[in-house]
Amino acid sequence: MAARATATVLAGARVVLPTGVVENGRVVVEGTRIAGAADPGTPVRDLSGHWIVPGFVDIHNHGGGGASFTSGTAEDVLKGVDTHRRHGTTTLVASTVTASMDFLTRRAGMLSELVEQGDLAGIHFEGPFISPCRKGAHSEALLLDPDPAEVRKLVDAARGTARMITLATELPGGIDSVRMLAEQGVIAAIGHTDASYEQTAEAIEAGATVATHLFNAMPGLAHRAPGPIAALLEDERVTVELINDGVHLHPAALELAFHSAGAGRVAFITDAMDAAGFGDGRYELGPLEVEVKDGVARLVEGGSIAGSTLTLDTAFRRAVTVDRLPVEDVVRAISANPARLLGAYDRIGSLEPTKDADLVVLDSDFVLQGVMRRGEWIVEPKGA
């Protein structure tokens, strides 16, 4: 008979469950998973005065710790993953930026190996199928129309690990590409788009289900030309990504998104680049040079915002302490909703028996104190 996995009880904290907050709660960890109950004599760790929330899930992340997911080696990618894990992100999708198709297909092969090893949860391709009018920090010379055959090359190169592709669906081939991605089980995300309200609605009807960093890199909301924002917020089939760093969004825009879409349709992302968890300085984002000053990343040429230096523990704390959102809603946006998008909610995204023991410990001020991934402490709480 196999030996039973080592177990421990995390007790005394406020625990955020799908049903709400449990005061003086308990989370039983057995091996790599959450258990329903503990045997008598199981060691107990007192986390009184803390919060325990599910591990964070980031579906849009370009790098961190000085490492780029677009251009770094496999070791660099793992360094970036580790940086974000130490900030609570226990599940991470690696995002690329616009590059040549030849480069991106090779990149997909390397990243897919890390997905197969369990280090990444998938690949997100942001570009090259985006609008030159809303390119942001992407090289205009490398942009392409979303011809389904070209889009399919990235899907095939990823060998079943492509989770999401961002498209400007108003471009030639955009709607057909959305339909193809839906058939392949890959999320079609609308972003870096100059689409009208009607064009966006058509793409949603064709199968697009995510808004890439809503409000950013798309036309603003206007009373006679509501554009993509209104269409994306109003449709219950769409999950909207939000970058809650205090730079990409005014607090009123974040409040509008939560009010219009509801907490069940928001996914907090970082859109992080190399400087996340690393510091100010000069960096490269694909072929473009970026300067990070006071934690804000901008292109050296043109000054466009170039991703973020955000980590999800900061996004969580800001959402509760600045935006005054209920903790339960923040947990949905930062864990449960993105887990569902990835089709992984049976394993991650909430603190329930049989799921992976992925969790974050926060103090009473919502500052990160501990991170556990699959039953192992990545950051162990001190003095608790």
Side-chain angles (χ1 to χ4, degrees):
M1 180 185 247
R4 189 162 183 180
T6 302
T8 189
V9 178
L10 308 178
R14 292 178 172 177
V15 179
V16 183
L17 302 178
T19 52
V21 178
V22 176
E23 301 284 344
N24 193 26
R26 291 160 53 95
V27 178
V28 180
V29 176
E30 189 173 296
T32 63
R33 299 190 179 277
I34 297 171
D39 290 339
T42 300
V44 176
R45 182 145 195 180
D46 183 10
L47 291 175
S48 298
H50 292 74
W51 292 81
I52 300 177
V53 300
F56 307 147
V57 181
D58 195 353
I59 60 171
H60 187 157
N61 187 316
H62 297 280
S68 167
F69 297 154
T70 297
S71 58
T73 65
E75 290 73 21
D76 290 334
V77 173
L78 293 177
K79 178 182 177 183
V81 170
D82 181 68
T83 295
H84 285 283
R85 284 182 183 170
R86 292 180 179 279
H87 288 275
T89 299
T90 51
T91 300
L92 184 147
V93 173
S95 302
T96 61
V97 296
T98 295
S100 71
M101 286 296 292
D102 182 58
F103 179 89
L104 287 173
T105 54
R106 293 198 311 272
R107 193 70 187 166
M110 187 272 273
L111 292 172
S112 67
E113 293 179 5
L114 298 180
V115 178
E116 291 159 2
Q117 292 171 195
D119 297 301
L120 296 171
I123 306 171
H124 163 221
F125 297 98
E126 187 181 22
F129 309 113
I130 61 176
S131 171
C133 302
R134 304 287 175 175
K135 65 182 184 299
H138 291 255
S139 174
E140 185 170 353
L142 296 172
L143 300 183
L144 298 173
D145 287 339
D147 178 84
E150 291 296 299
V151 178
R152 181 63 187 264
K153 288 179 183 178
L154 295 184
V155 176
D156 291 344
R159 304 197 305 260
T161 67
R163 297 289 176 262
M164 182 164 66
I165 297 182
T166 294
L167 309 167
T169 54
E170 76 278 8
L171 296 177
I175 297 300
D176 288 339
S177 289
V178 169
R179 293 193 182 101
M180 181 273 293
L181 291 173
E183 290 170 359
Q184 295 295 315
V186 179
I187 296 167
I190 299 173
H192 288 275
T193 177
D194 204 40
S196 66
Y197 173 90
E198 292 77 13
Q199 289 170 324
T200 305
E202 182 185 7
I204 296 168
E205 197 61 39
T209 56
V210 167
T212 293
H213 44 53
L214 187 74
F215 299 107
N216 295 111
M218 60 182 63
L221 185 65
H223 65 295
R224 292 193 184 94
I229 293 172
L232 293 163
L233 282 175
E234 74 181 8
D235 198 299
E236 294 184 355
R237 294 169 289 185
V238 177
T239 298
V240 298
E241 295 181 346
L242 298 177
I243 309 171
N244 192 25
D245 61 353
V247 176
H248 282 79
L249 295 176
H250 189 282
L254 181 127
E255 183 180 1
L256 173 65
F258 266 88
H259 178 77
S260 300
R265 291 204 291 117
V266 172
F268 280 143
I269 60 164
T270 59
D271 194 20
M273 46 79 72
D274 314 18
F278 200 67
D280 289 356
R282 290 278 181 116
Y283 297 85
E284 292 182 354
L285 188 62
L288 303 179
E289 192 173 11
V290 175
E291 182 172 11
V292 178
K293 185 177 180 180
D294 298 327
V296 179
R298 294 187 180 274
L299 291 182
V300 171
E301 185 176 343
S304 292
I305 293 178
S308 84
T309 61
L310 184 65
T311 53
L312 282 181
D313 59 327
T314 298
F316 192 112
R317 184 169 64 255
R318 179 179 176 85
V320 177
T321 62
V322 176
D323 303 308
R324 301 295 180 183
L325 294 172
V327 175
E328 303 97 309
D329 288 353
V330 179
V331 167
R332 293 176 75 182
I334 213 163
S335 301
N337 297 341
R340 287 194 178 94
L341 281 173
L342 296 177
Y345 190 67
D346 60 328
R347 296 187 299 102
I348 60 173
S350 66
L351 300 175
E352 297 178 89
T354 77
K355 290 194 175 187
D356 289 353
D358 293 354
L359 57 86
V360 176
V361 179
L362 306 167
D363 67 16
S364 58
D365 295 319
F366 299 96
V367 176
L368 184 143
Q369 300 296 316
V371 181
M372 176 181 285
R373 183 174 185 268
R374 296 179 185 174
E376 294 188 5
W377 288 112
I378 295 171
V379 177
E380 187 163 3
K382 295 178 181 178

